[in-house]
Amino acid sequence: MREMRVTVLGPAEELLSSEEIPFFCGGVRAGFPSPAGDYLEGSLSLQDMLIEHPAATFLIKVEGHSMKDAGILDGDIAVVDRALPPSNGRIVVAVVDDEFCLKRLVYRSGRCFLESANASFPPIEVSDCSENKIWGVVKHVIHTLR
Amino acid sequence: MIALADGNNFFASCERVFQPRLEGVPVVVLSNNDGCIVARSEEAKALGIKMGSVAFKMRALMQRHGVKVFSSNYTLYGDMSQRMHQVLASEVPSCEVYSIDEMFLNLRGIPQPEAHCCRIRAKVKQWTGLPISIGIGHTKCLAKAANRLAKHHRRDVGVLHITPENREEWLDKLPVGKLWGIGPQHEARLLTKKIITARDFSLMKPSDIQKSMGVVGLRMLYELQGISCLSLQEIPPLQKQFVSAKSFGRPLTHLEDIEIPLASYTNRVSEKLREQGLVCAAVQVFLLTNRHRPDQPQYNPSMTTVIHEATNYAPALIAVALKLLRKIWKPGFQFKKVGVVLQDLSQHTQLDLFEPKKNWETRNRLQATVDSLHGAVRWGSMGYDESWKLRAEYKSHRWTTHVHELPIAKA
């Protein structure tokens, strides 16, 4: 049998895509060539920027238009951090009628409401604001421009 | 002081986190190929559904009571397990993973262990949505016993501490057959000797125990009396999974250097499967950096995947393990340890109760031959091809690991 030589260049997947974005520190100057190579400072990781508590962070897809005035649109992906306390005014994922819904949590005169950010959706009053009903706090929203 | 943290009805609880409609409803999870019941919510236990019972025999009862049935979703359970372990590890000086849903915690130097464990339990619930119970004791056996007792007698608090003062009182509430390491045979023999509870066992003469149960029994006796005998290496292996993990002689940074030991661990652990006539349908691979070197960057990833055809065939398992390793490995870290966990075990014959054994052997050999040709030969449309496929009719989404299967929130 004839011998065959193989040189491994690297896994194709990793050559084609990388979750890390090279990050250059230092402004862009016009006129002179930037010695950017000297300032290469590792990589920025979106993972690290968006996720403070990995064990408590879940991604949830948004469906519907009731939060459009808060900049949260149909099809967006919410980065939900269960480690954060659901304080007044935060946007949360709550459980209403056995389903997840995404609303703003508002405490007003001793009562608890889930408010929309869209005039055509009235607020929902909830009797039980315990951890069973507030599933997690929305920390970021990933919105893809179409 | 040692604690054992254990997820309550772990698989069923994982399903509940992402499906609020399952709250308060009986839930069961089936083994690979939807054969047996491997997890039950409290409501399902109350209906008399037994662990390990055959699913189709239970079908009528489950339909009558509106039991929600799920195929096992090891991708989800593996990810939730890792989250649970991360939260637990962040709260204690050291710890060790015992199984997918259990972890021993070293509480040395923690002033109020019971209060601390209550805080840990609340944190796991808030961060991951998973309910856990924690048993505390001076030894691993006592922690394990305390955990079991917590589930039955302290369900609201979820934490139980066995102290030298209350030890006998609590052990008296635990049937001897529920002790760690006492199988049905030992249990039957102990019962004939009027050893009914764990307390009775803890008061036996060492010589009597050694005669029938050897050094393993003796260790249990001392452990129950509060004298620690079990270190990490001496834990009896669990039958619900096989683990092979070893620390490297020197830290490894290159992927190729880690691939070699991982392949060899996977090979060894697959031998154990074959020895016991088991197949596995889920594989987990994890990597650890040296946590005692906080000056070095830390990265402890893990990933689980399910195999479509449960197998114990070494090349297939090695290929899966290496694929997982390539996904989790990152450059720039000094890795200290790699491990592989084979999960979702079942009997080799479970797929095919109605076929004569001979057919099975032929098919296994054929499978092995086809596998060894690395895809050069594929199955044709043989009549029984479908029966090789893993049955998973009631599988939930891989909510946490697949972008097209994310939970949906209405806005």
Side-chain angles (χ1 to χ4, degrees):
Chain A
M1 194 180 270
R2 262 173 56 196
E3 228 176 280
M4 195 160 72
R5 278 175 184 279
V6 173
T7 309
V8 179
L9 298 172
E13 209 177 13
E14 287 186 19
L15 291 174
L16 291 173
S17 73
S18 165
E19 70 176 69
E20 311 230 311
I21 300 158
F23 176 55
F24 291 86
C25 183
V28 178
R29 286 168 205 226
F32 290 98
S34 161
D38 298 341
Y39 291 90
L40 192 60
E41 291 200 343
S43 299
L44 255 188
S45 159
L46 276 177
Q47 182 87 3
D48 294 344
M49 287 170 67
L50 299 180
I51 300 179
E52 187 185 352
H53 308 108
T57 299
F58 298 87
L59 300 182
I60 293 192
K61 195 155 186 195
V62 180
E63 215 176 75
H65 305 276
S66 74
M67 297 302 285
K68 72 175 174 61
D69 295 342
I72 305 172
L73 305 182
D74 187 49
D76 287 358
I77 290 175
V79 179
V80 180
D81 189 342
R82 291 182 53 112
L84 301 175
S87 47
N88 186 28
R90 303 259 356 201
I91 290 177
V92 298
V93 169
V95 176
V96 176
D97 296 333
D98 286 347
E99 283 192 344
F100 290 137
C101 70
L102 193 139
K103 300 282 169 190
R104 191 183 295 283
L105 180 66
V106 177
Y107 295 104
R108 199 184 299 125
S109 41
R111 293 154 72 190
C112 172
F113 299 89
L114 295 171
E115 291 189 351
S116 294
N118 181 337
S120 36
F121 291 82
I124 309 164
E125 180 166 1
V126 280
S127 50
D128 175 16
C129 267
S130 67
E131 56 175 279
N132 295 331
K133 293 290 165 194
I134 306 302
W135 196 86
V137 172
V138 178
K139 194 154 180 248
H140 306 278
V141 173
I142 303 169
H143 174 69
T144 305
L145 298 174
R146 294 169 184 91
Chain B
M1 200 75 72
I2 293 171
L4 178 70
D6 182 0
N8 298 350
N9 316 323
F10 186 71
F11 296 172
S13 298
C14 288
E15 299 290 349
R16 259 185 191 159
V17 172
F18 302 95
Q19 298 179 81
R21 69 187 172 94
L22 301 176
E23 214 52 61
V25 173
V27 175
V28 301
V29 177
L30 307 179
S31 64
N32 115 65
N33 210 38
D34 293 347
C36 306
I37 287 161
V38 292
R40 307 155 297 156
S41 71
E42 292 304 324
E43 297 81 2
K45 289 178 190 173
L47 291 173
I49 297 170
K50 295 272 178 284
M51 191 72 169
S53 47
V54 178
F56 79 83
K57 287 189 184 165
M58 291 282 147
R59 188 158 292 162
L61 174 95
M62 295 198 292
Q63 271 173 359
R64 203 161 56 241
H65 293 280
V67 177
K68 301 289 179 215
V69 179
F70 292 91
S71 304
S72 43
N73 184 345
Y74 272 82
T75 317
L76 175 66
Y77 310 151
D79 182 66
M80 293 304 284
S81 162
Q82 200 201 355
R83 290 166 183 266
M84 180 179 108
H85 290 151
Q86 273 176 19
V87 179
L88 290 169
S90 70
E91 290 293 323
V92 288
S94 69
C95 55
E96 98 196 16
V97 173
Y98 181 54
S99 76
I100 192 166
D101 57 352
E102 291 168 287
M103 195 170 200
F104 281 107
L105 313 175
N106 177 2
L107 300 179
R108 186 168 299 156
I110 289 171
Q112 289 173 305
E114 211 169 326
H116 188 69
C117 285
C118 286
R119 277 195 299 275
I120 294 179
R121 181 173 172 265
K123 185 175 173 182
V124 171
K125 179 78 170 95
Q126 198 202 328
W127 283 41
T128 67
L130 296 169
I132 64 168
S133 300
I134 305 181
I136 312 167
H138 269 98
T139 65
K140 283 186 170 165
C141 270
L142 284 173
K144 183 101 177 161
N147 186 291
R148 192 166 176 103
L149 289 161
K151 287 205 167 82
H152 287 84
H153 300 277
R154 284 277 189 277
R155 201 179 298 166
D156 44 343
V157 190
V159 175
L160 193 145
H161 185 181
I162 294 186
T163 62
E165 293 75 41
N166 69 22
R167 186 168 56 87
E168 290 203 9
E169 186 191 328
W170 277 118
L171 290 183
D172 210 30
K173 295 187 204 293
L174 186 69
V176 72
K178 303 295 180 197
L179 268 177
W180 198 16
I182 302 264
Q185 284 181 346
H186 283 310
E187 183 188 8
R189 221 199 37 257
L190 289 165
L191 289 177
T192 63
K193 290 192 206 163
K194 296 274 187 302
I195 306 294
I196 313 294
T197 70
R199 175 178 175 268
D200 300 338
F201 185 87
S202 75
L203 297 173
M204 281 175 78
K205 268 196 268 173
S207 54
D208 289 349
I209 288 183
Q210 194 169 14
K211 226 177 288 165
S212 53
M213 297 180 68
V215 70
V216 177
L218 212 52
R219 273 193 201 137
M220 272 178 51
L221 173 70
Y222 291 134
E223 282 259 319
L224 286 178
Q225 293 173 350
I227 304 161
S228 180
C229 309
L230 294 174
S231 68
L232 174 55
Q233 289 77 18
E234 285 162 333
I235 296 174
L238 269 192
Q239 287 311 298
K240 54 180 163 176
Q241 60 180 21
F242 284 96
V243 188
S244 180
K246 295 262 159 47
S247 294
F248 308 130
R250 62 187 167 85
L252 298 178
T253 46
H254 295 290
L255 180 62
E256 305 83 69
D257 295 340
I258 304 172
E259 284 177 344
I260 298 162
L262 177 64
S264 110
Y265 300 159
T266 310
N267 185 41
R268 207 173 311 153
V269 82
S270 76
E271 267 170 34
K272 288 194 210 162
L273 274 187
R274 290 193 294 275
E275 275 165 23
Q276 304 203 12
L278 298 170
V279 290
C280 87
V283 179
Q284 181 187 39
V285 169
F286 60 88
L287 276 171
L288 299 178
T289 47
N290 190 346
R291 99 191 137 71
H292 299 297
R293 292 289 303 273
D295 54 310
Q296 295 177 350
Q298 300 287 316
Y299 174 53
N300 300 311
S302 122
M303 194 183 265
T304 307
T305 190
V306 293
I307 316 172
H308 291 297
E309 292 167 6
T311 184
N312 56 22
Y313 185 52
L317 292 171
I318 290 171
V320 172
L322 292 177
K323 207 166 142 193
L324 286 171
L325 175 69
R326 284 172 203 136
K327 286 210 167 165
I328 60 176
W329 175 86
K330 276 190 198 174
F333 295 96
Q334 309 248 335
F335 291 106
K336 190 180 169 248
K337 195 173 193 176
V338 67
V340 59
V341 188
L342 303 184
Q343 295 165 334
D344 199 1
L345 307 180
S346 56
Q347 289 296 322
H348 207 236
T349 49
Q350 194 188 320
L351 283 170
D352 228 326
L353 290 170
F354 309 106
E355 292 266 351
K357 193 161 178 276
K358 201 152 172 286
N359 271 4
W360 243 99
E361 283 164 4
T362 316
R363 205 184 294 175
N364 277 342
R365 271 206 305 280
L366 188 54
Q367 174 77 47
T369 312
V370 170
D371 283 347
S372 69
L373 293 171
H374 301 293
V377 173
R378 294 169 155 277
W379 292 106
S381 52
M382 297 189 224
Y384 57 64
D385 192 17
E386 280 300 302
S387 67
W388 276 93
K389 289 228 175 83
L390 180 66
R391 212 174 302 140
E393 285 178 46
Y394 319 101
K395 191 142 152 197
S396 55
H397 283 198
R398 292 166 294 183
W399 306 107
T400 58
T401 51
H402 284 69
V403 75
H404 298 298
E405 300 182 20
L406 296 178
I408 285 174
K410 295 268 166 63

